[in-house]
Amino acid sequence: MSGNTDKHIMRRALKLALKGRGHVSPNPRVGAVITAPDGTIIGEGCHTHFGGLHAEAAALKACDGKDTRGATIYVNLEPCCFQGKTPPCTTAIIKSGIRRVVAAVPDPDPRVNGRGFAALREAGVRVEVGVLADEARHLNRGYFSARERGRAWCAVKVALSLDGKMAALDGESKWITGPEARKLTHALRADHDAVMVGAGTVRHDNPQLTVRSVRGPSPARIILAPHFGIPPDSKLAESAAQIRTILVTTETADPPGADDKTIELLRMKENKFGMIDPEELLSRLVDFGIQSLLIEGGSRVLSSFMQADLIDEISVGYAPSVIGQGISPFEDFNPVSWSGRPRFRIARIKHYGEDVVITYNRVT
Ligand code: AOF
Ligand code: ZN
């Protein structure tokens, strides 16, 4: 089968995998498509919820009695080869008579990590790896980050005026970008395990940090406000019983919200500047089942994550207005040197109404 067709079908597997968004974490988003020797699709499926059937098993089930001998399975992650909450997918694939496995990327889970491919090859199944690998890694960026780096993937979203300001000096920022770009914010939230803001944003904006203008699950909300906490009359506190809300504070602080039973506490050591260490926070979040984080502000939080060089991806919405004297997103950031200033590469540019949203990836 041609490379183009392989890509085309893998794209379908990736699309199916995305259905697990918000429901499968900390497990990966996985989709699978099975084609007959003549290329027609005879079954497809995805991992729909944590602990549920793996995508490969779901796709085999969807074949529903159709002949799978000689078939090909397309899957965006290496099939597993261990008995977990469900039986090994490699065994099911081999038993079904599938002759070819097209996978996007190896699975960094130490229980798999190449062993899935090896088991398939040993049984005489043809295995091809690497189709749409970049897209597949991006789809599961949280999963890979947690497994490979032991920390959550860190994305940032900011709305800026054309002169690069995220708020006026008095903190006013509603609204810089228009409704279409704000819709993207909601889509971004739904694509991450958690969104985070700092104390200033809670105070000025009283945000809800939920997903409203698109369909999708609301992520957990993290408040990095070690001393300011979550005021009981804030929208965050009022909805904490319905939406997972985590207050990051120090080992000794007693901020508002710390005794609220509906708010989870993540207590961390203060570093030598009396601050919470951003890198340690990203590692601790993995223990809380949070593998991807979207930071929405404000400038102190953004600057501290930039200073620690932890930002993997930034989505900037540029609005055609001028704020002049105001707050820049990274105004407390000091580059170590001019030549060492952090550099990003454009991943996507999109127009939303009057605004332009540019997504940048960290150049490593
Ligand atoms: C999934 N869904 O479609 C595939 C996975 O918690 P368990 O027992 O379901 O096992 C999770 C591991 O299974 C995961 O880390 C990955 O290595 C492998 N593949 N997981 O949740 C799937 N194909
Ligand atoms: Zn599996």
Side-chain angles (χ1 to χ4, degrees), residues 16-338:
L16 286 164
L18 195 60
K19 288 191 184 176
R21 186 177 84 156
H23 305 292
V24 300
S25 181
N27 275 351
R29 301 162 173 181
V30 189
V33 178
I34 299 174
T35 59
D38 70 357
T40 51
I41 294 175
I42 51 173
E44 57 185 27
C46 67
H47 186 51
T48 57
H49 60 278
F50 181 80
L53 273 188
H54 287 185
E56 301 91 320
L60 278 168
K61 200 171 161 202
C63 288
D64 195 24
K66 288 190 202 94
D67 191 2
T68 49
R69 284 171 305 170
T72 297
I73 185 165
Y74 294 80
V75 57
N76 60 292
L77 189 70
E78 177 179 6
C80 72
C81 50
F82 64 92
Q83 173 69 46
K85 294 183 198 73
T86 63
C89 291
T90 46
T91 311
I93 291 170
I94 294 163
K95 263 199 196 150
S96 73
I98 285 178
R99 301 300 302 150
R100 182 169 172 250
V101 171
V102 179
V105 275
D107 183 353
D109 186 320
R111 295 169 295 182
V112 188
N113 207 4
R115 278 189 278 271
F117 294 140
L120 291 165
R121 287 190 175 116
E122 254 165 54
V125 179
R126 244 173 79 200
V127 176
E128 284 158 47
V129 189
V131 177
L132 299 186
D134 290 347
E135 288 89 338
R137 280 189 69 85
H138 194 257
L139 178 75
N140 277 313
R141 54 204 180 282
Y143 178 76
F144 284 102
S145 178
R147 294 266 178 202
E148 294 173 350
R149 307 187 293 187
R151 69 150 171 103
W153 174 267
C154 182
V156 160
K157 174 255 137 194
V158 281
L160 301 181
S161 58
L162 67 79
D163 54 335
K165 300 294 157 59
M166 65 188 298
L169 283 182
D170 64 1
E172 182 67 58
S173 65
K174 275 185 180 145
W175 299 98
I176 295 176
T177 44
E180 293 92 343
R182 294 209 302 277
K183 222 169 158 176
L184 174 76
T185 301
H186 286 224
L188 269 177
R189 285 178 184 168
D191 203 26
H192 289 81
D193 290 336
V195 301
M196 184 169 83
V197 295
T201 305
V202 174
R203 191 166 27 220
H204 284 294
D205 299 354
N206 191 16
Q208 301 180 60
L209 305 177
T210 52
V211 173
R212 299 184 301 278
S213 53
V214 297
R215 278 177 53 200
S218 281
R221 304 170 307 180
I222 302 177
I223 322 305
L224 183 54
H227 305 288
F228 180 71
I230 307 179
D233 58 350
S234 61
K235 288 181 184 162
L236 288 166
E238 281 167 359
S239 55
Q242 290 79 46
I243 303 163
R244 189 178 185 197
T245 306
I246 302 168
L247 171 60
V248 182
T249 183
T250 68
E251 283 175 340
T252 52
D254 189 21
D259 58 354
D260 183 331
K261 293 281 173 287
T262 64
I263 296 172
E264 280 177 68
L265 280 188
L266 199 179
R267 288 200 182 272
M268 294 186 53
K269 278 200 188 72
E270 299 176 39
N271 66 16
K272 53 182 187 277
F273 310 109
M275 312 264 281
I276 276 158
D277 182 68
E279 188 160 14
E280 200 191 324
L281 174 56
L282 290 182
S283 305
R284 291 284 300 279
L285 287 182
V286 172
D287 305 331
F288 274 63
I290 291 166
Q291 298 180 332
S292 67
L293 175 70
L294 177 69
I295 307 179
E296 292 202 24
S299 69
R300 287 186 63 184
V301 176
L302 293 173
S303 301
S304 68
F305 277 74
M306 185 63 86
Q307 200 71 50
D309 196 7
L310 292 166
I311 299 174
D312 297 307
E313 185 176 326
I314 308 184
S315 294
V316 188
Y318 292 101
S321 62
V322 175
I323 291 181
Q325 289 200 355
I327 300 165
S328 316
F330 303 107
E331 62 181 9
D332 298 328
F333 166 70
N334 287 304
V336 182
S337 66
W338 174 253

